[in-house]
Amino acid sequence: MTLKLHNTLTGNTDDFVSREPNKVSLYTCGPTVYDYLHVGNWAAYIYWDILVRVLAANDFAVDRVMNITDVGHLVSDADEGEDKLEKGAQREGKTAWEVADFYSQDFLKNSDRLGLVTPQHIAKATDFIPQQLELVRTLKAKGFTYQIDDGIYFDTSKFPTYADFAHLNLEALQAGARVKFNPQKRNHSDFALWKFTPAGEKRDMEWQTPSDLLEARRVATSGAAPDSADATSGRESGADSSTGPASVMGFPGWHLECSAMAMSILGETLDIHTGGIDHIPVHHTNEIAQSEAATGKRFSNYWLHNNHLKVDGTKISKSLGNGYTLDDLEKKGFMPQDYRMFVLQSHYRTEGNFTFDNLTAAKNRLHNWHNSAALRHQIHDTLHDDDNRGVDDKAVSLYATSRALVEALSNDLGTPEALMIIDEAFSRLASAKLESIHRHALVELLETIDDTLGLQLLGNSPDISDDAKRLIIKRTQARNNKDWSQSDTLRDELLDQGIIIRDTLGGSVWEYAA
Ligand code: AMP
Ligand code: ZN
């Protein structure tokens, strides 16, 4: 089986070939932890969870980094505006460190509740400051950086393929952005690698800028930004440049964080890098430029991007208050797994639309699947399962379903097709006689669904109690005796225990009440 993935780098759905056989290094751009994640953010992480699971199903050992951006992500991706963490701190009357810690914990807790596979490395940007400064040092030594009043910038004109990844028209961007253009920047697309704490300000999160990274042109004044200087000409300003560079506090740019963490943990070339489509023109374009400028090697062989989720057909935005959190959904009676099912119903490259009707449909589908999974408690094990593989038609089709499911997912994470394959198999079971269902094949299918889609069907479809089973037997006897009133009483007793009975041609089947 070949695994096919849509690679933004080539624009094609390509056969996936890893750098080393059966091993994959994977980097996922993680959350900025200044607030609760909304349903759109969670959709992204659910899709990348499917990628990890499908890689495993294709016999790859995955080494994965997910970052946590706890500093440096400014309100505007173009290096302007406040740091989202510092802004969150003001909003909540806490320090940026407290805000980062609180929302990181919340992210990890809810990742667990959604059944997201825990990455091998969860990397906080604030834990990788030396690695980020080292990358700036390398870029400076290679002549890719320049310094202006508010920080050290990457000169994108020195990286000739800068526009390629996102097919940018730099001239048009430059012309269109004249108003907002920081006049000290050499090119509109240049971005901050390291920003200075503004003069007279004290940030919660700031680090000493190493003196060798600074232009030697001003007197040291702790906490102050360098003097305004015409960095492009290299002209030094300040009264006494002979005293050496200033002591300047600063913090990393968001793009720098991802490159430094990815390369320091996984190496200079990754197999796969993932993120949202919003990352293509700026964040990932900048990651590629600075990483490849530093190493001279390709940064990642495959780039995967998820499309965005809308809510009621509208972009998710704070001002509209439509950025529902998992807690919001739970208050309305939806569990994290219902939301996972909702996300899987759309392909990761199509634009999703969240509505409570769509979520209800997903919840109902998952409920039906729990009932199909519960059939395994109602069938006897067949001995010599292996001998039956080629004989039992129903079993053969279930084994084939497991394979078809992995194949659909291996075709660029085809989750909607995978769900349809499962629906078809389960509807065949619903009309089958219980004794014709091959228990081992059913269990194997359920395991495959749980492994690849993370829906936790086995864990969420428990057997009923012996007491309930006795009631079912009594009810069957009452029906056989045509004692309808006794049969109805027993049916109600079962319903009180959350169990309904479906009478089929092949006998009675119990199900969980909705
Ligand atoms: P942020 O915390 O803003 O960096 O976003 C975290 C992740 O969520 C990023 O990978 C974004 O691309 C992704 N994301 C943000 N909004 C949406 C959305 N509406 N639908 C899908 N993914 C989103
Ligand atoms: Zn990133």
Side-chain angles (χ1 to χ4, degrees), residues 5 8 13 17 43 115 136-137 163 174 182 245-246 285 319 344 361 364 412 461:
L5 297 172
T8 307
T13 303
V17 183
V136 180
R137 189 168 284 118
Q174 180 111 359
N182 175 345
T285 288
S319 52
L344 300 183
N364 292 340
D412 196 28
S461 55

PDB file of all heavy atoms in Angstrom, residues 5 8 13 17 43 115 136-137 163 174 182 245-246 285 319 344 361 364 412 461:
ATOM      1  N   LEU A   5       0.029  11.808   0.052  1.00  0.00           N
ATOM      2  CA  LEU A   5      -0.245  13.025   0.818  1.00  0.00           C
ATOM      3  C   LEU A   5      -0.170  14.231  -0.105  1.00  0.00           C
ATOM      4  O   LEU A   5       0.690  14.278  -1.001  1.00  0.00           O
ATOM      5  CB  LEU A   5       0.786  13.186   1.943  1.00  0.00           C
ATOM      6  CG  LEU A   5       0.785  12.096   3.019  1.00  0.00           C
ATOM      7  CD1 LEU A   5       1.969  12.263   3.963  1.00  0.00           C
ATOM      8  CD2 LEU A   5      -0.524  12.089   3.806  1.00  0.00           C
ATOM      9  N   THR A   8       1.968  20.781  -0.222  1.00  0.00           N
ATOM     10  CA  THR A   8       1.865  22.178  -0.660  1.00  0.00           C
ATOM     11  C   THR A   8       3.111  22.602  -1.445  1.00  0.00           C
ATOM     12  O   THR A   8       3.028  23.455  -2.339  1.00  0.00           O
ATOM     13  CB  THR A   8       1.678  23.100   0.566  1.00  0.00           C
ATOM     14  OG1 THR A   8       0.573  22.626   1.335  1.00  0.00           O
ATOM     15  CG2 THR A   8       1.423  24.542   0.170  1.00  0.00           C
ATOM     16  N   THR A  13      -0.668  15.683  -5.055  1.00  0.00           N
ATOM     17  CA  THR A  13      -0.821  14.590  -4.096  1.00  0.00           C
ATOM     18  C   THR A  13       0.208  13.540  -4.480  1.00  0.00           C
ATOM     19  O   THR A  13       0.095  12.880  -5.506  1.00  0.00           O
ATOM     20  CB  THR A  13      -2.260  14.043  -4.142  1.00  0.00           C
ATOM     21  OG1 THR A  13      -3.150  15.147  -3.874  1.00  0.00           O
ATOM     22  CG2 THR A  13      -2.480  12.978  -3.090  1.00  0.00           C
ATOM     23  N   VAL A  17       7.411   9.391   0.548  1.00  0.00           N
ATOM     24  CA  VAL A  17       8.675   8.662   0.712  1.00  0.00           C
ATOM     25  C   VAL A  17       9.443   9.345   1.842  1.00  0.00           C
ATOM     26  O   VAL A  17       9.735  10.541   1.764  1.00  0.00           O
ATOM     27  CB  VAL A  17       9.522   8.702  -0.582  1.00  0.00           C
ATOM     28  CG1 VAL A  17      10.792   7.873  -0.416  1.00  0.00           C
ATOM     29  CG2 VAL A  17       8.707   8.214  -1.776  1.00  0.00           C
ATOM     30  N   ALA A  43     -10.038  21.373  15.309  1.00  0.00           N
ATOM     31  CA  ALA A  43     -10.174  20.623  14.046  1.00  0.00           C
ATOM     32  C   ALA A  43      -8.777  20.367  13.477  1.00  0.00           C
ATOM     33  O   ALA A  43      -8.463  19.254  13.032  1.00  0.00           O
ATOM     34  CB  ALA A  43     -11.026  21.408  13.058  1.00  0.00           C
ATOM     35  N   GLY A 115      -8.541  12.408  22.819  1.00  0.00           N
ATOM     36  CA  GLY A 115      -7.817  11.211  22.409  1.00  0.00           C
ATOM     37  C   GLY A 115      -6.742  11.491  21.379  1.00  0.00           C
ATOM     38  O   GLY A 115      -6.437  10.645  20.536  1.00  0.00           O
ATOM     39  N   VAL A 136      19.723  32.918  14.941  1.00  0.00           N
ATOM     40  CA  VAL A 136      19.932  34.315  14.534  1.00  0.00           C
ATOM     41  C   VAL A 136      21.425  34.552  14.267  1.00  0.00           C
ATOM     42  O   VAL A 136      21.813  35.192  13.282  1.00  0.00           O
ATOM     43  CB  VAL A 136      19.435  35.303  15.625  1.00  0.00           C
ATOM     44  CG1 VAL A 136      19.668  36.746  15.182  1.00  0.00           C
ATOM     45  CG2 VAL A 136      17.961  35.077  15.935  1.00  0.00           C
ATOM     46  N   ARG A 137      22.246  33.983  15.145  1.00  0.00           N
ATOM     47  CA  ARG A 137      23.710  34.145  15.010  1.00  0.00           C
ATOM     48  C   ARG A 137      24.175  33.592  13.659  1.00  0.00           C
ATOM     49  O   ARG A 137      24.938  34.229  12.935  1.00  0.00           O
ATOM     50  CB  ARG A 137      24.388  33.417  16.173  1.00  0.00           C
ATOM     51  CG  ARG A 137      25.875  33.663  16.296  1.00  0.00           C
ATOM     52  CD  ARG A 137      26.410  33.143  17.626  1.00  0.00           C
ATOM     53  NE  ARG A 137      26.067  34.018  18.739  1.00  0.00           N
ATOM     54  CZ  ARG A 137      25.311  33.669  19.782  1.00  0.00           C
ATOM     55  NH1 ARG A 137      24.822  32.448  19.866  1.00  0.00           N
ATOM     56  NH2 ARG A 137      25.043  34.536  20.731  1.00  0.00           N
ATOM     57  N   ALA A 163       9.531  33.830  -2.510  1.00  0.00           N
ATOM     58  CA  ALA A 163       8.115  33.893  -2.922  1.00  0.00           C
ATOM     59  C   ALA A 163       7.574  32.551  -3.416  1.00  0.00           C
ATOM     60  O   ALA A 163       6.359  32.394  -3.583  1.00  0.00           O
ATOM     61  CB  ALA A 163       7.961  34.929  -4.036  1.00  0.00           C
ATOM     62  N   GLN A 174       4.131  44.556  -1.854  1.00  0.00           N
ATOM     63  CA  GLN A 174       4.882  45.745  -1.429  1.00  0.00           C
ATOM     64  C   GLN A 174       4.078  47.014  -1.744  1.00  0.00           C
ATOM     65  O   GLN A 174       3.955  47.898  -0.907  1.00  0.00           O
ATOM     66  CB  GLN A 174       6.218  45.786  -2.183  1.00  0.00           C
ATOM     67  CG  GLN A 174       7.097  46.951  -1.839  1.00  0.00           C
ATOM     68  CD  GLN A 174       8.354  46.494  -1.080  1.00  0.00           C
ATOM     69  OE1 GLN A 174       8.541  45.318  -0.811  1.00  0.00           O
ATOM     70  NE2 GLN A 174       9.175  47.448  -0.704  1.00  0.00           N
ATOM     71  N   ASN A 182       6.540  49.376   7.741  1.00  0.00           N
ATOM     72  CA  ASN A 182       7.528  49.949   8.653  1.00  0.00           C
ATOM     73  C   ASN A 182       8.667  50.507   7.799  1.00  0.00           C
ATOM     74  O   ASN A 182       9.373  49.754   7.128  1.00  0.00           O
ATOM     75  CB  ASN A 182       8.017  48.825   9.582  1.00  0.00           C
ATOM     76  CG  ASN A 182       9.143  49.282  10.486  1.00  0.00           C
ATOM     77  OD1 ASN A 182       9.766  50.321  10.268  1.00  0.00           O
ATOM     78  ND2 ASN A 182       9.395  48.484  11.522  1.00  0.00           N
ATOM     79  N   PRO A 245      28.359  47.319  22.081  1.00  0.00           N
ATOM     80  CA  PRO A 245      26.922  47.228  21.910  1.00  0.00           C
ATOM     81  C   PRO A 245      26.170  47.349  23.234  1.00  0.00           C
ATOM     82  O   PRO A 245      26.723  47.135  24.299  1.00  0.00           O
ATOM     83  CB  PRO A 245      26.728  45.844  21.290  1.00  0.00           C
ATOM     84  CG  PRO A 245      28.034  45.164  21.332  1.00  0.00           C
ATOM     85  CD  PRO A 245      29.062  46.083  21.840  1.00  0.00           C
ATOM     86  N   ALA A 246      24.900  47.701  23.102  1.00  0.00           N
ATOM     87  CA  ALA A 246      24.083  47.927  24.280  1.00  0.00           C
ATOM     88  C   ALA A 246      23.649  46.624  24.922  1.00  0.00           C
ATOM     89  O   ALA A 246      23.688  45.570  24.315  1.00  0.00           O
ATOM     90  CB  ALA A 246      22.841  48.703  23.848  1.00  0.00           C
ATOM     91  N   THR A 285       6.258  30.378   5.037  1.00  0.00           N
ATOM     92  CA  THR A 285       7.186  30.983   4.079  1.00  0.00           C
ATOM     93  C   THR A 285       8.426  31.496   4.828  1.00  0.00           C
ATOM     94  O   THR A 285       9.566  31.282   4.394  1.00  0.00           O
ATOM     95  CB  THR A 285       6.467  32.131   3.333  1.00  0.00           C
ATOM     96  OG1 THR A 285       5.511  31.535   2.440  1.00  0.00           O
ATOM     97  CG2 THR A 285       7.429  32.994   2.543  1.00  0.00           C
ATOM     98  N   SER A 319     -14.733  38.679  18.001  1.00  0.00           N
ATOM     99  CA  SER A 319     -15.772  39.697  18.130  1.00  0.00           C
ATOM    100  C   SER A 319     -17.168  39.103  17.915  1.00  0.00           C
ATOM    101  O   SER A 319     -18.144  39.571  18.489  1.00  0.00           O
ATOM    102  CB  SER A 319     -15.508  40.833  17.143  1.00  0.00           C
ATOM    103  OG  SER A 319     -15.336  40.301  15.856  1.00  0.00           O
ATOM    104  N   LEU A 344     -14.105  14.562  11.432  1.00  0.00           N
ATOM    105  CA  LEU A 344     -13.718  13.536  10.464  1.00  0.00           C
ATOM    106  C   LEU A 344     -14.680  13.469   9.279  1.00  0.00           C
ATOM    107  O   LEU A 344     -14.331  12.949   8.218  1.00  0.00           O
ATOM    108  CB  LEU A 344     -13.653  12.164  11.147  1.00  0.00           C
ATOM    109  CG  LEU A 344     -12.651  12.057  12.309  1.00  0.00           C
ATOM    110  CD1 LEU A 344     -12.633  10.643  12.861  1.00  0.00           C
ATOM    111  CD2 LEU A 344     -11.256  12.466  11.858  1.00  0.00           C
ATOM    112  N   ALA A 361     -25.754  15.513  14.105  1.00  0.00           N
ATOM    113  CA  ALA A 361     -25.702  14.384  13.157  1.00  0.00           C
ATOM    114  C   ALA A 361     -24.484  13.510  13.465  1.00  0.00           C
ATOM    115  O   ALA A 361     -24.573  12.274  13.446  1.00  0.00           O
ATOM    116  CB  ALA A 361     -25.641  14.912  11.724  1.00  0.00           C
ATOM    117  N   ASN A 364     -25.133  11.432  16.565  1.00  0.00           N
ATOM    118  CA  ASN A 364     -26.018  10.295  16.280  1.00  0.00           C
ATOM    119  C   ASN A 364     -25.267   9.176  15.559  1.00  0.00           C
ATOM    120  O   ASN A 364     -25.479   8.001  15.835  1.00  0.00           O
ATOM    121  CB  ASN A 364     -27.211  10.743  15.428  1.00  0.00           C
ATOM    122  CG  ASN A 364     -28.138  11.657  16.216  1.00  0.00           C
ATOM    123  OD1 ASN A 364     -28.115  11.660  17.444  1.00  0.00           O
ATOM    124  ND2 ASN A 364     -28.931  12.461  15.504  1.00  0.00           N
ATOM    125  N   ASP A 412      -4.380  10.378   1.034  1.00  0.00           N
ATOM    126  CA  ASP A 412      -4.425  11.766   1.514  1.00  0.00           C
ATOM    127  C   ASP A 412      -5.457  11.956   2.628  1.00  0.00           C
ATOM    128  O   ASP A 412      -6.237  12.901   2.607  1.00  0.00           O
ATOM    129  CB  ASP A 412      -4.699  12.724   0.337  1.00  0.00           C
ATOM    130  CG  ASP A 412      -4.360  14.164   0.708  1.00  0.00           C
ATOM    131  OD1 ASP A 412      -3.479  14.369   1.553  1.00  0.00           O
ATOM    132  OD2 ASP A 412      -4.981  15.071   0.132  1.00  0.00           O
ATOM    133  N   SER A 461     -18.105   1.215  24.483  1.00  0.00           N
ATOM    134  CA  SER A 461     -19.229   0.309  24.198  1.00  0.00           C
ATOM    135  C   SER A 461     -19.152  -0.875  25.167  1.00  0.00           C
ATOM    136  O   SER A 461     -18.925  -2.011  24.750  1.00  0.00           O
ATOM    137  CB  SER A 461     -19.176  -0.166  22.742  1.00  0.00           C
ATOM    138  OG  SER A 461     -17.917  -0.757  22.464  1.00  0.00           O
TER     139      SER A 461
END
